[in-house]
Amino acid sequence: MSQNNFQTKLKSHNNTYKELFKRHPSNPILTAKDWPYAANTVFNPAATMYDNKVLLLARVEDRRGFSHLTKAVSEDGISNWKIDPIPTFESDPVHYPEEAWGIEDPRITWIEELGKWAITYTAYSQGGPLVALALTKDFVHFERFGTIMPPEDKDAALFPRRFNGKWILIHRPIPSYQGSGANIWISHSKDLKYWGDHQILLNARQGGWWDANKIGLSPQPLETDVGWLILYHGVRQTPSGSIYRLGLALLDIENPAKVLRRSDEWIFGPLESYERYGDVADVVFPCGWVLDEKSGIVKMYYGGADSCIAVATASLSDLLEYIKRCPEPK
Ligand code: BMA
């Protein structure tokens, strides 16, 4: 190929990806060193707005290997975090034996109808991880619902309102039939306690895809003018371990069981050293995001390599413009 042809060919290829989420220069914004008490690591935080401030409910792992949840609150969502001096929400294995080995990876949804926040979290039981639910008005007192999905199941979040009288939960059961992959499901309930009408929402792809075999919801669903915006993680198995990356999907606003769009490519993945190296290498794992309605900026909070908390920002209109250009799932 002549040099000219080669240059033309290069130009015709778009060789950069549009970066939707930009990492904050102060990353990682929180580590175990910032914690007011001894912890192995802090990571995978849920996020919501509380009293006009950003509230994170971080997963804190102690040196037994068990996790609990502790809140950190900040006005700008970046700095000056006020962290509870003791664990905010701990496992209670005496009354809830399914919490034997700790509680992990919460997601928070504000439920207007109840005037409460719903926290869906992974309880680590002797039978494996499962989904549990608690409600709170103040992030001080918690109303436990206990187990809402049996093991193995995790990565759950509620939609903020009912659809035709029913609440909808997104979650990720692991089938015993491994050939079918770990897919994202939705289930319905009239009372938040008893769940049914289970169905697959998003399938893990197969073969060479970045999100082959295992996917799971990341933060809580975000309501937008064009549908529910969903950020999910895909787990790629490689000879040197797994890589956790993130993709986007858009669900119908009135019927969230209907997937309108899904990104073919991942939009965020481990690149920086705090995402690549830590207790578990090559993991970005958000459990929460908040939207500033005025600026239209979304702040996504994520765990880096199971060892720190980081934040990345995107404009909601860029995310929507991107997802609207993505294909309709087959
Ligand atoms: C997942 C969850 C996350 C963790 C990730 C990588 O299965 O357990 O809490 O961040 O693995 O270790």
Side-chain angles (χ1 to χ4, degrees):
M1 193 186 294
S2 77
Q3 188 63 19
N4 265 355
N5 280 349
F6 182 65
Q7 291 298 346
T8 318
K9 196 159 184 188
L10 256 187
K11 274 190 199 137
S12 68
H13 268 78
N14 182 2
N15 64 354
T16 53
Y17 291 98
K18 184 168 181 197
E19 193 189 40
L20 289 169
F21 276 100
K22 291 195 180 11
R23 291 164 174 84
H24 197 276
S26 333
N27 276 349
I29 53 168
L30 286 167
T31 70
K33 287 198 189 116
D34 302 306
W35 233 244
Y37 56 90
N40 171 43
T41 51
V42 298
F43 56 121
N44 300 5
T48 192
M49 293 307 292
Y50 179 81
D51 207 8
N52 282 325
K53 299 184 180 113
V54 175
L55 181 150
L56 302 183
L57 200 53
R59 169 173 175 189
V60 182
E61 192 188 78
D62 64 27
R63 286 180 63 157
R64 293 173 305 165
F66 299 180
S67 294
H68 60 264
L69 311 178
T70 292
K71 76 171 184 284
V73 176
S74 152
E75 296 213 356
D76 64 4
I78 307 289
S79 55
N80 293 321
W81 293 94
K82 307 252 174 325
I83 306 169
D84 279 358
I86 53 168
T88 308
F89 187 51
E90 284 186 283
S91 63
D92 177 5
V94 172
H95 301 104
Y96 297 88
E98 69 277 5
E99 298 182 357
W101 292 326
I103 57 176
E104 312 178 346
D105 299 356
R107 274 76 169 180
I108 302 174
T109 303
W110 165 247
I111 312 269
E112 187 75 44
E113 181 188 325
L114 306 176
K116 293 174 186 171
W117 284 267
I119 304 167
T120 40
Y121 58 97
T122 303
Y124 198 170
S125 80
Q126 293 185 352
L130 54 80
V131 179
L133 169 71
L135 300 181
T136 186
K137 276 187 174 174
D138 53 11
F139 292 92
V140 176
H141 306 96
F142 299 90
E143 211 180 305
R144 271 179 157 90
F145 274 58
T147 302
I148 55 169
M149 288 291 161
E152 183 172 341
D153 204 332
K154 48 166 75 168
D155 300 327
L158 276 168
F159 285 89
R161 53 183 161 82
R162 297 173 195 255
F163 300 83
N164 296 323
K166 290 189 183 143
W167 301 103
I168 299 185
L169 182 81
I170 301 188
H171 58 116
R172 201 285 309 281
I174 299 261
S176 54
Y177 173 53
Q178 292 298 333
S180 61
N183 308 306
I184 299 179
W185 288 64
I186 53 169
S187 300
H188 301 74
S189 171
K190 284 187 182 153
D191 59 7
L192 291 175
K193 191 153 176 63
Y194 299 101
W195 294 86
D197 297 334
H198 312 290
Q199 54 182 283
I200 291 183
L201 177 69
L202 275 185
N203 271 299
R205 285 182 266 215
Q206 294 180 338
W209 285 95
W210 67 274
D211 57 353
N213 306 323
K214 189 176 183 183
I215 59 173
L217 180 75
S218 284
Q220 71 276 23
L222 181 65
E223 187 164 11
T224 77
D225 291 344
V226 292
W228 298 97
L229 191 63
I230 297 293
L231 188 60
Y232 73 96
H233 55 269
V235 187
R236 172 91 180 247
Q237 303 298 337
T238 81
S240 53
S242 318
I243 309 176
Y244 279 71
R245 301 185 179 111
L246 307 171
L248 284 173
L250 188 69
L251 312 180
D252 187 271
I253 201 75
E254 293 309 327
N255 174 17
K258 189 170 168 207
V259 183
L260 304 176
R261 294 283 188 275
R262 176 178 185 174
S263 63
D264 273 346
E265 297 179 335
W266 71 85
I267 60 143
F268 197 80
L271 287 178
E272 296 296 333
S273 57
Y274 54 86
E275 300 160 350
R276 299 225 48 212
Y277 309 108
D279 275 4
V280 183
D282 292 318
V283 180
V284 290
F285 203 94
C287 290
W289 51 8
V290 295
L291 168 66
D292 177 23
E293 303 274 356
K294 263 199 230 144
S295 62
I297 297 294
V298 177
K299 289 197 185 80
M300 168 184 78
Y301 293 91
Y302 62 101
D306 283 11
S307 297
C308 66
I309 293 176
V311 61
T313 57
S315 105
L316 180 62
S317 59
D318 284 355
L319 295 176
L320 294 180
E321 198 188 300
Y322 176 86
I323 193 66
K324 282 194 278 184
R325 285 200 318 265
C326 289
E328 281 178 51
K330 295 182 190 80

mmCIF file with all atom_site columns, all heavy atoms in Angstrom, residues 117-136:
data_model
loop_
_atom_site.group_PDB
_atom_site.id
_atom_site.type_symbol
_atom_site.label_atom_id
_atom_site.label_alt_id
_atom_site.label_comp_id
_atom_site.label_asym_id
_atom_site.label_entity_id
_atom_site.label_seq_id
_atom_site.pdbx_PDB_ins_code
_atom_site.Cartn_x
_atom_site.Cartn_y
_atom_site.Cartn_z
_atom_site.occupancy
_atom_site.B_iso_or_equiv
_atom_site.pdbx_formal_charge
_atom_site.auth_seq_id
_atom_site.auth_comp_id
_atom_site.auth_asym_id
_atom_site.auth_atom_id
_atom_site.pdbx_PDB_model_num
ATOM 1   N N   . TRP A 1 117 ? -36.074 5.684   51.430 1.00 0.00 ? 117 TRP A N   1
ATOM 2   C CA  . TRP A 1 117 ? -35.115 5.114   50.479 1.00 0.00 ? 117 TRP A CA  1
ATOM 3   C C   . TRP A 1 117 ? -35.123 3.595   50.638 1.00 0.00 ? 117 TRP A C   1
ATOM 4   O O   . TRP A 1 117 ? -35.203 3.091   51.772 1.00 0.00 ? 117 TRP A O   1
ATOM 5   C CB  . TRP A 1 117 ? -33.706 5.626   50.747 1.00 0.00 ? 117 TRP A CB  1
ATOM 6   C CG  . TRP A 1 117 ? -33.461 7.023   50.285 1.00 0.00 ? 117 TRP A CG  1
ATOM 7   C CD1 . TRP A 1 117 ? -32.943 7.412   49.083 1.00 0.00 ? 117 TRP A CD1 1
ATOM 8   C CD2 . TRP A 1 117 ? -33.688 8.242   51.013 1.00 0.00 ? 117 TRP A CD2 1
ATOM 9   N NE1 . TRP A 1 117 ? -32.845 8.784   49.018 1.00 0.00 ? 117 TRP A NE1 1
ATOM 10  C CE2 . TRP A 1 117 ? -33.293 9.314   50.193 1.00 0.00 ? 117 TRP A CE2 1
ATOM 11  C CE3 . TRP A 1 117 ? -34.196 8.527   52.274 1.00 0.00 ? 117 TRP A CE3 1
ATOM 12  C CZ2 . TRP A 1 117 ? -33.383 10.641  50.590 1.00 0.00 ? 117 TRP A CZ2 1
ATOM 13  C CZ3 . TRP A 1 117 ? -34.287 9.857   52.673 1.00 0.00 ? 117 TRP A CZ3 1
ATOM 14  C CH2 . TRP A 1 117 ? -33.893 10.890  51.834 1.00 0.00 ? 117 TRP A CH2 1
ATOM 15  N N   . ALA A 1 118 ? -35.054 2.903   49.520 1.00 0.00 ? 118 ALA A N   1
ATOM 16  C CA  . ALA A 1 118 ? -34.958 1.436   49.557 1.00 0.00 ? 118 ALA A CA  1
ATOM 17  C C   . ALA A 1 118 ? -33.500 1.074   49.286 1.00 0.00 ? 118 ALA A C   1
ATOM 18  O O   . ALA A 1 118 ? -32.904 1.546   48.311 1.00 0.00 ? 118 ALA A O   1
ATOM 19  C CB  . ALA A 1 118 ? -35.851 0.831   48.487 1.00 0.00 ? 118 ALA A CB  1
ATOM 20  N N   . ILE A 1 119 ? -32.945 0.246   50.152 1.00 0.00 ? 119 ILE A N   1
ATOM 21  C CA  . ILE A 1 119 ? -31.569 -0.223  49.950 1.00 0.00 ? 119 ILE A CA  1
ATOM 22  C C   . ILE A 1 119 ? -31.632 -1.722  49.635 1.00 0.00 ? 119 ILE A C   1
ATOM 23  O O   . ILE A 1 119 ? -32.079 -2.517  50.461 1.00 0.00 ? 119 ILE A O   1
ATOM 24  C CB  . ILE A 1 119 ? -30.717 -0.022  51.217 1.00 0.00 ? 119 ILE A CB  1
ATOM 25  C CG1 . ILE A 1 119 ? -30.763 1.450   51.641 1.00 0.00 ? 119 ILE A CG1 1
ATOM 26  C CG2 . ILE A 1 119 ? -29.270 -0.464  50.978 1.00 0.00 ? 119 ILE A CG2 1
ATOM 27  C CD1 . ILE A 1 119 ? -30.227 1.685   53.035 1.00 0.00 ? 119 ILE A CD1 1
ATOM 28  N N   . THR A 1 120 ? -31.238 -2.049  48.422 1.00 0.00 ? 120 THR A N   1
ATOM 29  C CA  . THR A 1 120 ? -31.127 -3.471  48.065 1.00 0.00 ? 120 THR A CA  1
ATOM 30  C C   . THR A 1 120 ? -29.647 -3.804  48.201 1.00 0.00 ? 120 THR A C   1
ATOM 31  O O   . THR A 1 120 ? -28.791 -3.032  47.768 1.00 0.00 ? 120 THR A O   1
ATOM 32  C CB  . THR A 1 120 ? -31.607 -3.702  46.624 1.00 0.00 ? 120 THR A CB  1
ATOM 33  O OG1 . THR A 1 120 ? -31.147 -2.618  45.808 1.00 0.00 ? 120 THR A OG1 1
ATOM 34  C CG2 . THR A 1 120 ? -33.116 -3.771  46.541 1.00 0.00 ? 120 THR A CG2 1
ATOM 35  N N   . TYR A 1 121 ? -29.330 -4.898  48.842 1.00 0.00 ? 121 TYR A N   1
ATOM 36  C CA  . TYR A 1 121 ? -27.926 -5.239  49.058 1.00 0.00 ? 121 TYR A CA  1
ATOM 37  C C   . TYR A 1 121 ? -27.724 -6.745  48.976 1.00 0.00 ? 121 TYR A C   1
ATOM 38  O O   . TYR A 1 121 ? -28.690 -7.517  49.016 1.00 0.00 ? 121 TYR A O   1
ATOM 39  C CB  . TYR A 1 121 ? -27.430 -4.684  50.407 1.00 0.00 ? 121 TYR A CB  1
ATOM 40  C CG  . TYR A 1 121 ? -28.205 -5.150  51.627 1.00 0.00 ? 121 TYR A CG  1
ATOM 41  C CD1 . TYR A 1 121 ? -27.752 -6.213  52.403 1.00 0.00 ? 121 TYR A CD1 1
ATOM 42  C CD2 . TYR A 1 121 ? -29.388 -4.521  52.003 1.00 0.00 ? 121 TYR A CD2 1
ATOM 43  C CE1 . TYR A 1 121 ? -28.453 -6.626  53.538 1.00 0.00 ? 121 TYR A CE1 1
ATOM 44  C CE2 . TYR A 1 121 ? -30.103 -4.939  53.127 1.00 0.00 ? 121 TYR A CE2 1
ATOM 45  C CZ  . TYR A 1 121 ? -29.629 -5.986  53.886 1.00 0.00 ? 121 TYR A CZ  1
ATOM 46  O OH  . TYR A 1 121 ? -30.330 -6.406  54.984 1.00 0.00 ? 121 TYR A OH  1
ATOM 47  N N   . THR A 1 122 ? -26.477 -7.122  48.827 1.00 0.00 ? 122 THR A N   1
ATOM 48  C CA  . THR A 1 122 ? -26.134 -8.536  48.772 1.00 0.00 ? 122 THR A CA  1
ATOM 49  C C   . THR A 1 122 ? -25.831 -8.998  50.196 1.00 0.00 ? 122 THR A C   1
ATOM 50  O O   . THR A 1 122 ? -24.975 -8.417  50.862 1.00 0.00 ? 122 THR A O   1
ATOM 51  C CB  . THR A 1 122 ? -24.884 -8.752  47.890 1.00 0.00 ? 122 THR A CB  1
ATOM 52  O OG1 . THR A 1 122 ? -25.152 -8.214  46.598 1.00 0.00 ? 122 THR A OG1 1
ATOM 53  C CG2 . THR A 1 122 ? -24.540 -10.221 47.753 1.00 0.00 ? 122 THR A CG2 1
ATOM 54  N N   . ALA A 1 123 ? -26.557 -10.002 50.652 1.00 0.00 ? 123 ALA A N   1
ATOM 55  C CA  . ALA A 1 123 ? -26.232 -10.617 51.935 1.00 0.00 ? 123 ALA A CA  1
ATOM 56  C C   . ALA A 1 123 ? -25.463 -11.883 51.607 1.00 0.00 ? 123 ALA A C   1
ATOM 57  O O   . ALA A 1 123 ? -25.838 -12.629 50.688 1.00 0.00 ? 123 ALA A O   1
ATOM 58  C CB  . ALA A 1 123 ? -27.505 -10.937 52.708 1.00 0.00 ? 123 ALA A CB  1
ATOM 59  N N   . TYR A 1 124 ? -24.382 -12.096 52.352 1.00 0.00 ? 124 TYR A N   1
ATOM 60  C CA  . TYR A 1 124 ? -23.526 -13.237 52.032 1.00 0.00 ? 124 TYR A CA  1
ATOM 61  C C   . TYR A 1 124 ? -23.859 -14.374 53.002 1.00 0.00 ? 124 TYR A C   1
ATOM 62  O O   . TYR A 1 124 ? -23.433 -14.380 54.147 1.00 0.00 ? 124 TYR A O   1
ATOM 63  C CB  . TYR A 1 124 ? -22.072 -12.793 52.145 1.00 0.00 ? 124 TYR A CB  1
ATOM 64  C CG  . TYR A 1 124 ? -21.071 -13.675 51.451 1.00 0.00 ? 124 TYR A CG  1
ATOM 65  C CD1 . TYR A 1 124 ? -19.756 -13.253 51.314 1.00 0.00 ? 124 TYR A CD1 1
ATOM 66  C CD2 . TYR A 1 124 ? -21.421 -14.913 50.927 1.00 0.00 ? 124 TYR A CD2 1
ATOM 67  C CE1 . TYR A 1 124 ? -18.808 -14.050 50.689 1.00 0.00 ? 124 TYR A CE1 1
ATOM 68  C CE2 . TYR A 1 124 ? -20.487 -15.709 50.295 1.00 0.00 ? 124 TYR A CE2 1
ATOM 69  C CZ  . TYR A 1 124 ? -19.187 -15.275 50.197 1.00 0.00 ? 124 TYR A CZ  1
ATOM 70  O OH  . TYR A 1 124 ? -18.249 -16.060 49.589 1.00 0.00 ? 124 TYR A OH  1
ATOM 71  N N   . SER A 1 125 ? -24.670 -15.304 52.533 1.00 0.00 ? 125 SER A N   1
ATOM 72  C CA  . SER A 1 125 ? -25.157 -16.397 53.384 1.00 0.00 ? 125 SER A CA  1
ATOM 73  C C   . SER A 1 125 ? -24.299 -17.643 53.188 1.00 0.00 ? 125 SER A C   1
ATOM 74  O O   . SER A 1 125 ? -23.502 -17.722 52.240 1.00 0.00 ? 125 SER A O   1
ATOM 75  C CB  . SER A 1 125 ? -26.609 -16.725 53.031 1.00 0.00 ? 125 SER A CB  1
ATOM 76  O OG  . SER A 1 125 ? -26.671 -17.543 51.877 1.00 0.00 ? 125 SER A OG  1
ATOM 77  N N   . GLN A 1 126 ? -24.502 -18.615 54.067 1.00 0.00 ? 126 GLN A N   1
ATOM 78  C CA  . GLN A 1 126 ? -23.749 -19.862 53.923 1.00 0.00 ? 126 GLN A CA  1
ATOM 79  C C   . GLN A 1 126 ? -24.173 -20.606 52.660 1.00 0.00 ? 126 GLN A C   1
ATOM 80  O O   . GLN A 1 126 ? -23.469 -21.488 52.193 1.00 0.00 ? 126 GLN A O   1
ATOM 81  C CB  . GLN A 1 126 ? -23.912 -20.710 55.171 1.00 0.00 ? 126 GLN A CB  1
ATOM 82  C CG  . GLN A 1 126 ? -23.220 -20.001 56.324 1.00 0.00 ? 126 GLN A CG  1
ATOM 83  C CD  . GLN A 1 126 ? -23.204 -20.786 57.620 1.00 0.00 ? 126 GLN A CD  1
ATOM 84  O OE1 . GLN A 1 126 ? -23.838 -21.817 57.725 1.00 0.00 ? 126 GLN A OE1 1
ATOM 85  N NE2 . GLN A 1 126 ? -22.490 -20.273 58.592 1.00 0.00 ? 126 GLN A NE2 1
ATOM 86  N N   . GLY A 1 127 ? -25.313 -20.234 52.104 1.00 0.00 ? 127 GLY A N   1
ATOM 87  C CA  . GLY A 1 127 ? -25.752 -20.859 50.851 1.00 0.00 ? 127 GLY A CA  1
ATOM 88  C C   . GLY A 1 127 ? -25.353 -20.045 49.632 1.00 0.00 ? 127 GLY A C   1
ATOM 89  O O   . GLY A 1 127 ? -25.754 -20.355 48.511 1.00 0.00 ? 127 GLY A O   1
ATOM 90  N N   . GLY A 1 128 ? -24.570 -18.950 49.850 1.00 0.00 ? 128 GLY A N   1
ATOM 91  C CA  . GLY A 1 128 ? -24.145 -18.101 48.741 1.00 0.00 ? 128 GLY A CA  1
ATOM 92  C C   . GLY A 1 128 ? -24.766 -16.716 48.845 1.00 0.00 ? 128 GLY A C   1
ATOM 93  O O   . GLY A 1 128 ? -25.595 -16.463 49.713 1.00 0.00 ? 128 GLY A O   1
ATOM 94  N N   . PRO A 1 129 ? -24.378 -15.809 47.952 1.00 0.00 ? 129 PRO A N   1
ATOM 95  C CA  . PRO A 1 129 ? -24.905 -14.445 47.995 1.00 0.00 ? 129 PRO A CA  1
ATOM 96  C C   . PRO A 1 129 ? -26.381 -14.395 47.590 1.00 0.00 ? 129 PRO A C   1
ATOM 97  O O   . PRO A 1 129 ? -26.802 -15.130 46.694 1.00 0.00 ? 129 PRO A O   1
ATOM 98  C CB  . PRO A 1 129 ? -24.063 -13.685 46.972 1.00 0.00 ? 129 PRO A CB  1
ATOM 99  C CG  . PRO A 1 129 ? -23.108 -14.642 46.388 1.00 0.00 ? 129 PRO A CG  1
ATOM 100 C CD  . PRO A 1 129 ? -23.402 -16.014 46.872 1.00 0.00 ? 129 PRO A CD  1
ATOM 101 N N   . LEU A 1 130 ? -27.141 -13.532 48.253 1.00 0.00 ? 130 LEU A N   1
ATOM 102 C CA  . LEU A 1 130 ? -28.565 -13.394 47.919 1.00 0.00 ? 130 LEU A CA  1
ATOM 103 C C   . LEU A 1 130 ? -28.969 -11.926 48.046 1.00 0.00 ? 130 LEU A C   1
ATOM 104 O O   . LEU A 1 130 ? -28.187 -11.092 48.497 1.00 0.00 ? 130 LEU A O   1
ATOM 105 C CB  . LEU A 1 130 ? -29.408 -14.281 48.841 1.00 0.00 ? 130 LEU A CB  1
ATOM 106 C CG  . LEU A 1 130 ? -29.223 -14.125 50.350 1.00 0.00 ? 130 LEU A CG  1
ATOM 107 C CD1 . LEU A 1 130 ? -29.971 -12.939 50.902 1.00 0.00 ? 130 LEU A CD1 1
ATOM 108 C CD2 . LEU A 1 130 ? -29.693 -15.386 51.055 1.00 0.00 ? 130 LEU A CD2 1
ATOM 109 N N   . VAL A 1 131 ? -30.200 -11.621 47.633 1.00 0.00 ? 131 VAL A N   1
ATOM 110 C CA  . VAL A 1 131 ? -30.652 -10.218 47.651 1.00 0.00 ? 131 VAL A CA  1
ATOM 111 C C   . VAL A 1 131 ? -31.489 -9.956  48.900 1.00 0.00 ? 131 VAL A C   1
ATOM 112 O O   . VAL A 1 131 ? -32.412 -10.712 49.208 1.00 0.00 ? 131 VAL A O   1
ATOM 113 C CB  . VAL A 1 131 ? -31.484 -9.903  46.384 1.00 0.00 ? 131 VAL A CB  1
ATOM 114 C CG1 . VAL A 1 131 ? -31.975 -8.457  46.432 1.00 0.00 ? 131 VAL A CG1 1
ATOM 115 C CG2 . VAL A 1 131 ? -30.685 -10.157 45.122 1.00 0.00 ? 131 VAL A CG2 1
ATOM 116 N N   . ALA A 1 132 ? -31.157 -8.872  49.615 1.00 0.00 ? 132 ALA A N   1
ATOM 117 C CA  . ALA A 1 132 ? -31.922 -8.452  50.788 1.00 0.00 ? 132 ALA A CA  1
ATOM 118 C C   . ALA A 1 132 ? -32.334 -6.995  50.608 1.00 0.00 ? 132 ALA A C   1
ATOM 119 O O   . ALA A 1 132 ? -31.761 -6.269  49.779 1.00 0.00 ? 132 ALA A O   1
ATOM 120 C CB  . ALA A 1 132 ? -31.086 -8.623  52.043 1.00 0.00 ? 132 ALA A CB  1
ATOM 121 N N   . LEU A 1 133 ? -33.343 -6.603  51.383 1.00 0.00 ? 133 LEU A N   1
ATOM 122 C CA  . LEU A 1 133 ? -33.900 -5.249  51.246 1.00 0.00 ? 133 LEU A CA  1
ATOM 123 C C   . LEU A 1 133 ? -34.086 -4.603  52.618 1.00 0.00 ? 133 LEU A C   1
ATOM 124 O O   . LEU A 1 133 ? -34.486 -5.271  53.577 1.00 0.00 ? 133 LEU A O   1
ATOM 125 C CB  . LEU A 1 133 ? -35.264 -5.357  50.542 1.00 0.00 ? 133 LEU A CB  1
ATOM 126 C CG  . LEU A 1 133 ? -36.145 -4.100  50.519 1.00 0.00 ? 133 LEU A CG  1
ATOM 127 C CD1 . LEU A 1 133 ? -35.563 -3.035  49.596 1.00 0.00 ? 133 LEU A CD1 1
ATOM 128 C CD2 . LEU A 1 133 ? -37.568 -4.449  50.044 1.00 0.00 ? 133 LEU A CD2 1
ATOM 129 N N   . ALA A 1 134 ? -33.798 -3.313  52.678 1.00 0.00 ? 134 ALA A N   1
ATOM 130 C CA  . ALA A 1 134 ? -34.110 -2.540  53.887 1.00 0.00 ? 134 ALA A CA  1
ATOM 131 C C   . ALA A 1 134 ? -34.615 -1.177  53.442 1.00 0.00 ? 134 ALA A C   1
ATOM 132 O O   . ALA A 1 134 ? -34.252 -0.690  52.361 1.00 0.00 ? 134 ALA A O   1
ATOM 133 C CB  . ALA A 1 134 ? -32.865 -2.376  54.747 1.00 0.00 ? 134 ALA A CB  1
ATOM 134 N N   . LEU A 1 135 ? -35.488 -0.575  54.254 1.00 0.00 ? 135 LEU A N   1
ATOM 135 C CA  . LEU A 1 135 ? -35.959 0.778   53.975 1.00 0.00 ? 135 LEU A CA  1
ATOM 136 C C   . LEU A 1 135 ? -35.416 1.712   55.051 1.00 0.00 ? 135 LEU A C   1
ATOM 137 O O   . LEU A 1 135 ? -35.184 1.285   56.191 1.00 0.00 ? 135 LEU A O   1
ATOM 138 C CB  . LEU A 1 135 ? -37.487 0.832   53.993 1.00 0.00 ? 135 LEU A CB  1
ATOM 139 C CG  . LEU A 1 135 ? -38.244 -0.053  53.002 1.00 0.00 ? 135 LEU A CG  1
ATOM 140 C CD1 . LEU A 1 135 ? -39.750 0.152   53.147 1.00 0.00 ? 135 LEU A CD1 1
ATOM 141 C CD2 . LEU A 1 135 ? -37.815 0.223   51.564 1.00 0.00 ? 135 LEU A CD2 1
ATOM 142 N N   . THR A 1 136 ? -35.233 2.976   54.696 1.00 0.00 ? 136 THR A N   1
ATOM 143 C CA  . THR A 1 136 ? -34.805 3.956   55.703 1.00 0.00 ? 136 THR A CA  1
ATOM 144 C C   . THR A 1 136 ? -35.337 5.338   55.357 1.00 0.00 ? 136 THR A C   1
ATOM 145 O O   . THR A 1 136 ? -35.543 5.662   54.184 1.00 0.00 ? 136 THR A O   1
ATOM 146 C CB  . THR A 1 136 ? -33.269 3.999   55.834 1.00 0.00 ? 136 THR A CB  1
ATOM 147 O OG1 . THR A 1 136 ? -32.926 4.866   56.917 1.00 0.00 ? 136 THR A OG1 1
ATOM 148 C CG2 . THR A 1 136 ? -32.579 4.489   54.573 1.00 0.00 ? 136 THR A CG2 1
#
